[in-house]
Structures are given as structure tokens and as C-alpha cells.
Amino acid sequence: MLSSLQTYFKQGTNFAGLEIYELQGSVAYEFLLLKKKKGSLNIVASKPLSSLEELQGLLKTNVPLVLVINTSDVLIKKIEAA
């Protein structure tokens, strides 16, 4: 119980996500606002962005941002389980 309280105070319940992906040969961006409730993340808002400059007005300093990059330039390394 103490560890879950520590997580709540350190991270809070609101999160932001940014996915960078390829769509028809060009780079696209998707911004998500998420809220943690009862152990799951729920999408509060979703907004497609045409450039990273649009992200500036959406970010809050006290909300952690998770970045996901899904482009053809991402290198993948497979690690065998021990």
C-alpha cells in the first residue's frame, strides 16, 4: 500500500503521451492526455498534430510525458531470455 501511495505522490494520476509515426511516407504526431484510474490508463483527449511546434501549448510542466517512436528509422534489438 505504501508503494502505491509513493507512486501517486511522485507521478500523480495525469499523464501525457506523444507518438511519432509514419503515415503514407511522412512523419505524423499524435498527442494523448491520459488519466490513471483503478490501475488502468484512460484516454481523456487525443489530438493529431501536424508539427512538434503545436505541442508547445499542450504540455504542462507537472504532467509526465511518455514518448513512443514508431518509424522505419527505429532500430530493433532482440534479447534472448535467460
Side-chain angles (χ1 to χ4, degrees), residues 2-23:
L2 184 59
S3 65
S4 64
L5 283 175
Q6 280 181 319
T7 302
Y8 172 77
F9 287 121
K10 286 182 183 177
Q11 297 178 353
T13 58
N14 296 317
F15 299 90
L18 176 65
E19 182 178 10
I20 302 172
Y21 60 97
E22 284 186 46
L23 182 63

Side-chain angles (χ1 to χ4, degrees), residues 2-80:
L2 184 59
S3 65
S4 64
L5 283 175
Q6 280 181 319
T7 302
Y8 172 77
F9 287 121
K10 286 182 183 177
Q11 297 178 353
T13 58
N14 296 317
F15 299 90
L18 176 65
E19 182 178 10
I20 302 172
Y21 60 97
E22 284 186 46
L23 182 63
Q24 299 173 350
S26 63
V27 176
Y29 309 94
E30 186 79 25
F31 180 73
L32 297 171
L33 287 176
L34 307 155
K35 185 160 183 83
K36 185 176 180 182
K37 187 174 182 180
K38 295 184 181 179
S40 65
L41 285 175
N42 300 313
I43 298 174
V44 175
S46 173
K47 179 177 180 164
L49 306 174
S50 58
S51 69
L52 286 177
E53 285 76 23
E54 292 181 51
L55 185 64
Q56 188 175 15
L58 300 172
L59 290 177
K60 296 181 181 177
T61 57
N62 60 344
V63 176
L65 176 70
V66 178
L67 175 64
V68 177
I69 302 173
N70 288 322
T71 65
S72 61
D73 295 331
V74 174
L75 300 176
I76 298 172
K77 180 178 179 182
K78 292 184 180 182
I79 300 173
E80 296 296 325

